[in-house]
Amino acid sequence: MKAMVLTGIRAIEMQEVPTPSITTPTDVLIRMTVVGVCGSDVHYYVDGKIGSQIVKYPFTVGHEGAGIVEKIGSAVTHVSVGDRVAIEPAMPCFSCDQCKAGRPHTCRKLRFLGCPGQADGCLSEYIVMPQTSCVRISDSMNFDEAAISEPLSIGVYSVKQSIPLKGKTVGILGSGPIGLCVLLPALAQGASKVFMTDKIDQRLALAKRMGATWTGNPQKCDIVKEVAAIEPSQLDVVFECCGQQEALDMALELLKPGGKLMVVGIPRESRISFSIDTLRHKEICIQNVRRQNDCVASALAMIDKKEIDVMPMATHHFSFEETPTAFNLVADYRDGVVKAMIHFGKE
C-alpha cells in the first residue's frame, strides 16, 4: 500500500510499505477515507519531536481519521465489514492502574496513532486498529465530520474538566482547530460570553462566525485592556490553546481571582513558567489537559444531532498525493488555514 512517510525535518514523501494485516482476534482492518492534519503532526514535521517523543525516520504520522471497515478479526463484535467508522487513536491496555482507575488516556502502556515509539499513523491507505478504537458513524455523518470528532473530543473533555460554564465568562487563547473545538462545547454548555484571540485575522473571523462574543489579535490591540472594558470583573476560566508562553502570561491577567486556567495547547518549548505573584494573589487554579477521556461518543453525538457544526473548520481539502502541500500550508499558517483535510479518493 501507499503511505505518507516523514523522512526528515520538513520532508514527507509517498512510499510503498507493507499493507498491515490482522494479527489478533479483536483487530479491525480499515480503509482510510480522510485524515485531518493536526498541530501535533506538524510539530513532528517541523521539529522532529514533541518533548521526549522523538521521531525515528522513516515514520508515518496522522491520528485524526475516518474510514471503512474492510476486514475484522474472529472476536470482533463492535463493528462489521462495510461499516463507516471514526477512529479513536488511543490504544490503552485496559489492565494497568490508570486504566482501572478510569484514566485510559494516561495508560502506562498507551499506544497512540502517529506517536513516535508507539504506533505508525493513519496517513496510509490502510491501518489496523483494535475494535475498541473503531466507532460506527451514522449514514448522515460525512467522513470529514467523523475525523474532526477527534479534536472535538479534546474540546469536549477540556470543557468538562474546567468549571460548570452556564452563565460564565470564558477566554480562549488561540483560534485554531483546538480553540474552536473548545468554543463549540463551551457555547453548548451555556457560556454567557466567549472572548477569543489569535494572530491570524481569518481565524478570528471564523471564530466570530462560529459564535465567539468578541475576538482580538494580540499583535494589533491590548487584549487584557479591551476585555476588561467589556468584562471589568475579568473572566471565570481561560483555555490556553496555542501553546505560547505569552498566552499563558496573558491568561493570568485575564482571569478573575479564583479563576481557572486550562492548559490545552502543546508548547514547542520544554518548559513554561508563571508569575508566582499573580498566581498567588489571585489564587488561580491550573488544570493541564491530556488529550481526552471518554468523550468521543459525546463529540460524535453532538455532531450527529446537529447541536454543533464542525464543518466550517475544514477550510482546506487535499488529495492524498497532495499531502506535502497540505503540511507546508499548515506549518506556515498560510491562507487562513484552520483544518486541512486529506482525502483518499473513493469513499
Side-chain angles (χ1 to χ4, degrees):
M1 70 171 183
K2 294 179 174 63
M4 282 292 174
V5 179
L6 296 182
T7 57
I9 297 298
R10 290 193 78 119
I12 186 169
E13 62 183 50
M14 183 178 286
Q15 294 185 357
E16 288 285 342
V17 301
T19 302
S21 58
I22 289 176
T23 58
T24 72
T26 53
D27 279 349
V28 177
L29 177 68
I30 302 166
R31 175 170 61 84
M32 296 302 301
T33 57
V34 65
V35 172
V37 180
C38 175
S40 62
D41 300 329
V42 174
H43 274 296
Y44 293 132
Y45 177 62
V46 173
D47 300 322
K49 66 177 182 176
I50 296 178
S52 60
Q53 295 164 179
I54 301 171
V55 174
K56 291 184 179 180
Y57 304 106
F59 183 68
T60 302
V61 293
H63 62 269
E64 298 177 5
I68 298 171
V69 175
E70 286 279 306
K71 188 176 181 181
I72 60 174
S74 59
V76 170
T77 57
H78 289 19
V79 294
S80 302
V81 172
D83 281 350
R84 305 160 73 247
V85 294
I87 296 166
E88 157 61 277
M91 296 170 276
C93 71
F94 296 110
S95 61
C96 71
D97 64 317
Q98 291 295 290
C99 288
K100 290 179 178 178
R103 295 182 54 88
H105 62 312
T106 54
C107 169
R108 303 284 187 180
K109 301 175 183 177
L110 184 67
R111 296 174 64 242
F112 196 88
L113 270 184
C115 186
Q118 296 180 20
D120 280 341
C122 58
L123 263 172
S124 57
E125 293 179 307
Y126 295 91
I127 63 169
V128 167
M129 296 293 288
Q131 66 170 341
T132 49
S133 288
C134 303
V135 186
R136 278 196 303 261
I137 61 173
S138 68
D139 292 339
S140 62
M141 185 179 296
N142 66 53
F143 285 113
D144 281 358
E145 291 174 316
I148 295 173
S149 71
E150 197 280 331
L152 180 62
S153 69
I154 296 172
V156 171
Y157 179 63
S158 299
V159 166
K160 182 179 178 181
Q161 291 294 98
S162 63
I163 62 174
L165 289 185
K166 187 174 179 59
K168 301 298 184 180
T169 54
V170 176
I172 301 175
L173 308 184
S175 300
I178 294 299
L180 294 172
C181 283
V182 170
L183 168 66
L184 293 173
L187 292 173
Q189 291 296 317
S192 63
K193 296 177 185 176
V194 181
F195 300 81
M196 296 189 69
T197 69
D198 205 277
K199 295 177 181 178
I200 301 173
D201 289 335
Q202 294 100 316
R203 288 184 171 185
L204 294 175
L206 179 58
K208 201 69 179 290
R209 292 198 301 273
M210 292 178 69
T213 308
W214 178 93
T215 61
N217 186 327
Q219 295 179 325
K220 297 181 179 180
C221 69
D222 186 329
I223 300 293
V224 175
K225 183 177 180 180
E226 294 207 15
V227 171
I230 302 169
E231 199 63 35
S233 61
Q234 302 174 300
L235 307 182
D236 294 297
V237 59
V238 171
F239 298 82
E240 199 288 328
C241 296
C242 57
Q244 300 291 322
Q245 179 63 58
E246 61 196 56
L248 292 166
D249 295 337
M250 183 188 297
L252 296 191
E253 296 300 319
L254 289 168
L255 283 164
K256 64 174 58 173
K260 189 166 189 178
L261 169 59
M262 303 297 297
V263 181
V264 188
I266 301 175
R268 294 179 69 174
E269 297 79 10
S270 59
R271 289 180 177 272
I272 58 175
S273 63
F274 299 98
S275 164
I276 190 62
D277 185 62
T278 305
L279 207 61
R280 286 182 59 253
H281 281 86
K282 286 189 172 182
E283 197 183 44
I284 299 299
C285 177
I286 300 174
Q287 170 77 55
N288 181 56
V289 173
R290 174 63 170 168
R291 294 174 180 155
Q292 64 86 26
N293 185 12
D294 195 29
C295 290
V296 173
S298 298
L300 285 167
M302 293 176 79
I303 296 171
D304 199 35
K305 295 175 183 177
K306 310 301 181 186
E307 295 175 358
I308 60 174
D309 181 11
V310 297
M311 286 307 292
M313 285 188 278
T315 55
H316 293 71
H317 299 266
F318 299 87
S319 68
F320 185 39
E321 292 75 15
E322 294 172 321
T323 295
T325 302
F327 268 63
N328 283 326
L329 179 79
V330 177
D332 297 334
Y333 298 96
R334 286 188 280 111
D335 197 32
V337 63
V338 174
K339 179 63 68 177
M341 309 301 295
I342 296 171
H343 298 266
F344 290 74
K346 186 178 179 181
E347 297 181 357

